Amino acid sequence: MTFDLTLSPLYRINGQEIVSLPGLLVQTPPRNAARGREQDRLIVYLLLTGTSVFSTSEYMQVAQDAANVFFQTPRTLTSALRAAADSVNKNLLARNMSSSSHGQYAVGWLTLGVLRDTQFTLSMSGPMHTYWFGQNEARHIHEPGTSGKGLGTGQTINIHYAQTTISAGDRLLFFGRAPSAWDSTLNDPTHSSLDALRRRLKSLTTADLNAVLIQATDGKGALNLLKPDVESKEEAPAPPDLTPSLTLPEETISTPEAEAAAALSAHLVQPSAYTIPPQKEESFPQEEAPANPLNELPRNTASRNFPASIPRAQTPIQPVTSESEIEEIDPPVLEEEEFPEIEKVAEPVRIRRPRVRREIPAWMRQFAKIIAGGIQAARKISVNIGERTRNFLPRLLPGAEIPAETNGPSTATMMFMAVLIPLMVVTVASVVYLRFGRSQQYDTYLGQANEMKNQALSLTDPVEQRIAWENVINSINIAESHRETPETDALRQEADANLDKLLGITRLQFNPAFSNNLGIDISRMAASEEDLFVLNAANGEVLRAQPAKGGRGFERDDTFSCKPGVYGNYTVGPLVDILALPSLNSVNATLLGIDATGNLLYCAPGQVAQAIPLPVPDTNWGRVTAFTLDAGNLYVLDAPARAVWVYTGKDGTFIDQPYFFFGGQTPEKQDVIDLVVAGDELYMLHADGHLSTCSYSRIVSVSTRCQDPSPYNNPFPAYQDTDLFAGAHFTQMLFTALPDQSILLLDADTLTQGVFRFTPRNLDLQNQFRPAKGTKNPIPGGRPFGAVTVGPNHVLYLAVDGQVYFATDMP
């Protein structure tokens, strides 16, 4: 289903309705949207608090930059939302770092809403509120512990994600703070219309408002931004005496005319208040700058006078005795608030190193004396040569008399000395630096690494431990840029081992399967106890390999034939997927392949392949993209038709008509790229990396149940401040061999290069398989993984850039 979204801003300043709400932006996917963003419709709702000055265009540019980053970020929806929030955070943090010396800062509260089909996904940073009003119920989404204090105060961002299914007529309300007079209305989900709810919220109070009301209606996916009906189209007048306690630095206030122009075009972002709209032009007398401007800046312990904005309600909202308490603004009631501390260096683990006075060895002192003596001797020789040169050059002139007793050095000797002495000085200086200067820097950073190691061993919080060990590795990298020693190598191995333990990473030793690169693009693989099969993505042909006789790697079987062609009365196209068959089957085949039109190809070593087409489903084929076997039954994925067909097997053959796995339901998405089955449970991997699961119902009166998405769970506490799955790029999925059956997901990202293992029941992350580090890893870095498979003997195979690598020690 497709819905139109209608947005109605609630924006009031000093009793006047303002036409446009700064920081509110709606956008449909552009033509060049990244993969996974083509169906997303975005709402950006940004509130800025603090003391910095923002013009209307700057305010909207921050929101527009966030939208641009969102639509340019591929893969999962959460990774795009995080990238957009990070864009706002970096923008505000850079501004805060440059203006913090003047006592000016800005903190961003951000709500991002994305509608895709009927799913509405929320990302909230800062103590934002969202109300969802259904037909007979209401839901309040507000998690300040997860969403944090806002953006722009540090390099780490906090985000709370939420998701709900919307229907036609549902309404949403975004705001940062609301008058307590709204409480009864927000807890009552029954409202006749969007207009009625809007009028009621406006009539309950005369206080300042900053909120967005949204309604979903049947439509074609349009986003409609309504403008409020206002009696006057002029902007609200500026409240008197905006910042009586704030004195700007001298260089920012040049003339009264410049100050008035700035007031006309800028929004003043006040502490814990929303942005003030553009002010009318007004002349201000120029104040005499104080002797020390810093004395006039607001302090944490001093109350600040500024006009009241939306009431400073905290969670839970404190009740007020009367509505007049909210509306009273003269004189303004101020609350004391601390300025957020702006991080200048993101270093969660701070280590204070004592200064140790190093004792200079005696041999070093002696060597320094020799060097100093050599330099003094060189200077004396240079002076002597200079004097002799001045005496000698006049004698070169015609008519010059040369005393017979002159016995000075020859010209060649003096030129040789003039070149030799500077070379000697430079050489000695270089040797001293390389021997002692680089060694000094190496010792410094190695000492830092050892101190950080001791700090990491004393910590108990997993997140702090992870950060500390990462700092150890950073110091080792700098130390090894000067010199690599067994000591740095041992320290690096210890840090890597502790990090892997915290992050649930298991390192495997991979070896190349073939002596030479196969020179093909491998799209799928299958393995039995002895055989390895790889599918050539270019022509749909399967290659077979066996363990080499020498015991190292594999060797190709050039006699094996399993490729597209005409087999009897059937024509088989390029194969799209392959499976290793059990050893006992009626066809005596070891490999089963399938093409895009449902033709099966049974292959075996030393035999001609046999083609048997699958019975065509009632709705005909769209395009077969993958298949899998479970308990003798064949499950065929037809992604364009949004179907999974189940064929009951008889001794490895499938001759009966299939049944539709989903019963009376049809999945809404066509982006499924792989599937696995365990009993009545179906797991489907989507193109954006998320999983959906379905439980087949064998009871006629009970329909098959599906969950989309099925969230991944990360039980490792060291990832508490990061989203591990947001950066993953899952492309293939398979089950490991019994008895400890688990789901493997191939992460093809060029940076991580690994395989994630999950429990089938709750999709809890068990661990990650990654190649060993350093020289022990033969897999080239920066190349995506193409395919993965695991044999019944627990051998893990990875295809990378035309080569296959295998690890036999998979736990």
Side-chain angles (χ1 to χ4, degrees), residues 22-234:
L24 177 61
L25 179 71
V26 295
Q27 186 167 336
T28 56
R31 292 184 178 180
N32 60 344
R35 188 184 68 177
R37 305 282 79 78
E38 301 89 346
Q39 304 300 323
D40 296 340
R41 283 162 288 163
L42 176 67
I43 300 174
V44 180
Y45 179 47
L46 174 65
L47 303 178
L48 296 180
T49 70
T51 57
S52 290
V53 176
F54 279 76
S55 67
T56 305
S57 59
E58 289 176 332
Y59 207 134
M60 293 304 297
Q61 188 61 47
V62 176
Q64 185 62 59
D65 289 345
N68 294 340
V69 170
F70 173 82
F71 284 109
Q72 293 168 6
T73 304
R75 299 197 294 269
T76 61
L77 178 58
T78 54
S79 64
L81 290 171
R82 174 170 286 273
D86 190 54
S87 168
V88 176
N89 184 68
K90 290 179 179 178
N91 194 323
L92 296 179
L93 182 60
R95 187 182 183 108
N96 289 338
M97 295 290 288
S98 62
S99 62
S100 59
S101 60
H102 304 309
Q104 297 180 4
Y105 70 94
V107 179
W109 297 3
L110 179 66
T111 295
L112 299 174
V114 178
L115 178 63
R116 181 190 294 176
D117 297 329
T118 61
Q119 295 294 324
F120 194 83
T121 305
L122 284 167
S123 163
M124 297 190 294
S125 298
M128 298 291 272
H129 296 258
T130 297
Y131 273 86
W132 167 74
F133 303 101
Q135 295 182 355
N136 299 307
E137 58 177 332
R139 177 186 174 192
H140 181 202
I141 303 172
H142 177 60
E143 295 291 341
T146 306
S147 58
K149 297 181 179 180
L151 303 174
T153 62
Q155 293 186 352
T156 302
I157 60 176
N158 295 304
I159 300 178
H160 173 68
Y161 297 105
Q163 191 175 67
T164 184
T165 301
I166 64 172
S167 305
D170 289 359
R171 289 176 291 275
L172 295 158
L173 180 63
F174 296 168
F175 60 87
R177 296 190 182 92
S180 58
W182 281 10
D183 290 352
S184 59
T185 300
L186 296 180
N187 294 325
D188 179 14
T190 59
H191 300 287
S192 58
S193 66
L194 176 70
D195 219 28
L197 178 58
R198 174 185 170 81
R199 288 195 303 269
R200 180 169 177 78
L201 292 175
K202 290 171 55 179
S203 62
L204 287 174
T205 179
T206 59
D208 293 349
L209 300 177
N210 191 316
V212 181
L213 189 59
I214 307 169
Q215 177 166 321
T217 56
D218 291 328
K220 298 181 179 180
L223 298 176
N224 304 312
L225 181 59
L226 300 181
K227 293 185 178 180
D229 296 329
V230 295
E231 297 178 1
S232 173
K233 297 298 181 181
E234 296 180 0

Side-chain angles (χ1 to χ4, degrees), residues 235-275:
E235 295 179 344
D241 193 13
L242 283 175
T243 55
S245 65
L246 177 64
T247 302
L248 295 176
E250 189 173 5
E251 64 270 18
T252 62
I253 305 178
S254 57
T255 63
E257 292 79 2
E259 184 177 354
L264 178 63
S265 62
H267 290 261
L268 179 63
V269 186
Q270 302 178 9
S272 298
Y274 300 116
T275 53

Side-chain angles (χ1 to χ4, degrees), residues 526-607:
S528 62
E529 289 282 354
E530 297 293 337
D531 296 337
L532 171 65
F533 303 96
V534 298
L535 177 61
N536 187 344
N539 57 16
E541 180 181 359
V542 180
L543 304 180
R544 174 177 177 261
Q546 290 179 298
K549 295 180 180 179
R552 290 188 175 183
F554 288 75
E555 56 185 9
R556 286 182 55 174
D557 178 10
D558 294 330
T559 63
F560 181 78
S561 178
C562 188
K563 59 185 178 181
V566 178
Y567 297 90
N569 297 326
Y570 306 111
T571 300
V572 178
L575 302 181
V576 296
D577 202 358
I578 56 176
L579 292 172
L581 290 175
S583 56
L584 298 178
N585 57 80
S586 61
V587 191
N588 293 324
T590 58
L591 181 76
L592 178 62
I594 190 171
D595 67 3
T597 58
N599 293 308
L600 298 180
L601 188 63
Y602 294 84
C603 306
Q607 298 181 13

Side-chain angles (χ1 to χ4, degrees), residues 418-654:
V419 174
L420 178 61
I421 291 174
L423 287 178
M424 291 178 59
V425 174
V426 171
T427 302
V428 171
S430 300
V431 171
V432 172
Y433 171 73
L434 293 176
R435 177 63 181 87
F436 302 105
R438 290 174 64 88
S439 178
Q440 176 69 28
Q441 293 184 2
Y442 164 82
D443 292 339
T444 300
Y445 287 108
L446 180 61
Q448 288 183 2
N450 280 305
E451 291 178 4
M452 292 176 182
K453 165 196 164 183
N454 296 332
Q455 178 77 9
L457 293 174
S458 66
L459 295 172
T460 57
D461 182 79
V463 175
E464 294 180 351
Q465 288 178 331
R466 187 202 79 211
I467 296 173
W469 286 114
E470 289 174 347
N471 290 336
V472 171
I473 293 178
N474 291 335
S475 295
I476 295 174
N477 290 336
I478 301 175
E480 288 187 339
S481 67
H482 299 285
R483 188 171 59 180
E484 294 186 19
T485 64
E487 189 174 1
T488 59
D489 185 58
L491 188 56
R492 179 185 294 277
Q493 291 182 12
E494 182 180 1
D496 286 337
N498 282 280
L499 263 180
D500 289 345
K501 183 178 179 181
L502 287 170
L503 302 179
I505 297 175
T506 302
R507 300 286 176 181
L508 301 180
Q509 181 57 56
F510 285 88
N511 298 293
F514 304 99
S515 57
N516 297 316
N517 193 295
L518 295 177
I520 62 174
D521 182 13
I522 301 174
S523 60
R524 293 280 184 173
M525 293 193 298
S528 62
E529 289 282 354
E530 297 293 337
D531 296 337
L532 171 65
F533 303 96
V534 298
L535 177 61
N536 187 344
N539 57 16
E541 180 181 359
V542 180
L543 304 180
R544 174 177 177 261
Q546 290 179 298
K549 295 180 180 179
R552 290 188 175 183
F554 288 75
E555 56 185 9
R556 286 182 55 174
D557 178 10
D558 294 330
T559 63
F560 181 78
S561 178
C562 188
K563 59 185 178 181
V566 178
Y567 297 90
N569 297 326
Y570 306 111
T571 300
V572 178
L575 302 181
V576 296
D577 202 358
I578 56 176
L579 292 172
L581 290 175
S583 56
L584 298 178
N585 57 80
S586 61
V587 191
N588 293 324
T590 58
L591 181 76
L592 178 62
I594 190 171
D595 67 3
T597 58
N599 293 308
L600 298 180
L601 188 63
Y602 294 84
C603 306
Q607 298 181 13
V608 178
Q610 182 179 356
I612 302 177
L614 287 172
V616 179
D618 296 337
T619 58
N620 213 333
W621 292 113
R623 185 179 185 277
V624 175
T625 53
F627 72 150
T628 187
L629 271 172
D630 181 69
N633 297 330
L634 189 68
Y635 296 77
V636 182
L637 171 64
D638 186 351
R642 297 179 294 177
V644 173
W645 299 101
V646 185
Y647 291 85
T648 304
K650 296 179 180 179
D651 297 329
T653 61
F654 311 94

